[in-house]
Amino acid sequence: MYNETITFYSKTPPNRGELETFTVKYFEDNNVCWDDLEVFLLIEEWIIQQFTFNGETAIITTACASILWESIIGQSVYDVLEMDYKTIEELIGMEVSSRRKQASVLWLLTTRNAIHQYLEDGIRDTFEDLI
């Protein structure tokens, strides 16, 4: 069902946990698959320096949050706000079934909403903004 990369990162997520020092944290849940996720971001001069997460998550959610963590470190918050499901598909090297798409973007939804909170721009993204 999942490729080797998804399986590996779901079992050994290198960025699971809480940052001791963070700029912003944000909690989001997915009532379709009952995942809940909290992200912790350390942002300096609009650049993401660190990203970790905690929560009760499905295999695809955990793997995507870990795989894509590597792609957002050093990125501008504005670049991350441009990411969507297509970004995830490209980075994990496979299409996610329609049933699991929300789970695959939960980390990104939570991260984008954390960034909106950081920017104090009054925006709150939804799954429809990403898929």
Side-chain angles (χ1 to χ4, degrees):
M1 182 172 171
Y2 295 118
N3 64 27
E4 289 177 25
T5 303
I6 298 291
T7 303
F8 173 79
Y9 277 97
S10 69
K11 291 180 181 177
T12 57
N15 59 324
R16 180 168 244 156
E18 288 185 28
L19 287 176
E20 286 186 27
T21 304
F22 55 87
T23 310
V24 63
K25 70 177 179 175
Y26 196 86
F27 175 84
E28 193 82 52
D29 63 358
N30 178 356
N31 60 10
V32 171
C33 66
W34 305 108
D35 284 356
D36 61 70
L37 186 72
E38 185 170 39
V39 299
F40 302 84
L41 298 170
L42 176 61
I43 303 169
E44 295 175 356
E45 298 181 15
W46 297 280
I47 303 297
I48 298 176
Q49 302 296 320
Q50 289 290 332
F51 165 86
T52 62
F53 72 97
N54 261 334
E56 296 296 321
T57 57
I59 289 171
I60 191 71
T61 305
T62 303
C64 287
S66 294
I67 293 167
L68 299 164
W69 149 73
E70 297 169 343
S71 71
I72 68 169
I73 299 301
Q75 292 292 317
S76 157
V77 294
Y78 300 105
D79 290 340
V80 176
L81 290 175
E82 296 295 318
M83 293 179 171
D84 61 11
Y85 168 74
K86 288 292 184 192
T87 306
I88 293 167
E89 191 176 82
E90 289 169 13
L91 289 170
I92 65 173
M94 63 178 277
E95 185 175 342
V96 178
S97 72
S98 58
R99 265 187 57 226
R100 306 304 295 155
K101 280 186 181 175
Q102 283 190 352
S104 74
V105 299
L106 179 59
W107 79 273
L108 182 56
L109 176 65
T110 310
T111 301
R112 283 178 44 159
N113 283 330
I115 291 170
H116 288 307
Q117 181 177 306
Y118 168 75
L119 295 173
E120 298 178 348
D121 61 11
I123 297 171
R124 184 175 183 280
D125 290 327
T126 66
F127 286 110
E128 289 76 30
D129 296 316
L130 301 174
I131 298 174

